[in-house]
Amino acid sequence: MESKMKPLKRHESIKSFSREHHQGLLLCWKIRKGIKNGVSVERIKKYNDWFFENHLKPHFADEEKYIFPILGDEDEMIKKALTEHRRLIRLFTEENDLDKTINHIEEELDRHIRFEERELFMVIQEKATPSEMQKIAELHDELKFVENNDDKYWD
Ligand SMILES: [Fe+2]
Ligand SMILES: [Fe+2]
């Protein structure tokens, strides 16, 4: 599996979030591979639903609880990130127009993660105080990724 994201200098405390991002980028890769191989949108959606419930939803919640407050709701980057979370939640829970929706998920999740990694997290680790960073490390329970092997449609 390929991941095109270059490793960025990342503070120890938020590395756990970056590892979760890696799984998100892999999801996008799986979707692309599935589409290329003519896998049905229903199969792709089933795996997306599992990923959303078990990984993405808790990841968004933890970012909103531990990371975003460092810059605050009035910050433009935080506003953008929150809007993208809401948009992605809408896409993952959309039951109609699956072809279009799955393409949007692939594009927009990929873009969202790259924005957080390249821009938002850079500013966060610059602006957060050492004790804020320490707190993130203590509070964030990293979601250990255990693959769902029910239907590995990308294989
Ligand atoms: Fe996010
Ligand atoms: Fe994220």
Side-chain angles (χ1 to χ4, degrees):
M1 257 180 237
E2 60 169 328
S3 165
K4 285 186 202 120
M5 199 162 63
K6 276 198 217 114
L8 295 164
K9 214 169 162 349
R10 188 60 73 231
H11 192 287
E12 224 23 74
S13 302
I14 51 176
K15 269 189 184 158
S16 54
F17 283 93
S18 291
R19 282 191 290 270
E20 291 168 7
H21 284 165
H22 177 69
Q23 293 303 331
L25 292 178
L26 285 178
L27 177 78
C28 299
W29 175 87
K30 288 166 183 167
I31 295 173
R32 284 195 295 275
K33 185 106 190 277
I35 292 171
K36 201 173 120 207
N37 293 346
V39 172
S40 75
V41 285
E42 287 77 15
R43 283 175 71 191
I44 296 177
K45 163 100 166 82
K46 204 163 176 216
Y47 184 85
N48 280 358
D49 286 350
W50 170 82
F51 187 88
F52 177 67
E53 279 305 321
N54 293 282
H55 293 279
L56 204 57
K57 232 158 76 169
H59 173 82
F60 283 177
D62 282 356
E63 281 180 334
E64 291 175 20
K65 202 163 153 196
Y66 303 126
I67 302 237
F68 295 0
I70 290 172
L71 299 182
D73 283 353
E74 292 308 306
D75 181 272
E76 289 307 319
M77 284 177 124
I78 299 303
K79 282 186 196 165
K80 175 176 153 76
L82 284 168
T83 304
E84 290 176 1
H85 281 190
R86 282 195 294 271
R87 161 83 176 157
L88 284 161
I89 291 169
R90 259 203 317 277
L91 287 172
F92 272 91
T93 51
E94 173 65 63
E95 298 297 330
N96 301 307
D97 226 348
L98 290 184
D99 270 304
K100 211 171 98 194
T101 304
I102 282 169
N103 271 296
H104 278 298
I105 287 175
E106 185 273 308
E107 272 175 40
E108 294 180 35
L109 180 62
D110 195 276
R111 208 188 306 138
H112 175 68
I113 292 172
R114 288 172 200 278
F115 161 67
E116 288 184 338
E117 282 291 323
R118 290 173 180 166
E119 298 176 52
L120 183 58
F121 279 20
M122 300 308 260
V123 175
I124 293 277
Q125 56 186 21
E126 234 176 68
K127 297 226 168 135
T129 63
S131 78
E132 279 175 324
M133 287 310 257
Q134 178 62 27
K135 221 166 133 197
I136 296 173
E138 282 164 18
L139 295 176
H140 179 228
D141 248 337
E142 184 180 352
L143 303 157
K144 294 269 175 277
F145 190 81
V146 180
E147 183 61 279
N148 171 359
N149 293 315
D150 288 353
D151 175 20
K152 293 169 86 176
Y153 69 77
W154 55 89
D155 263 0

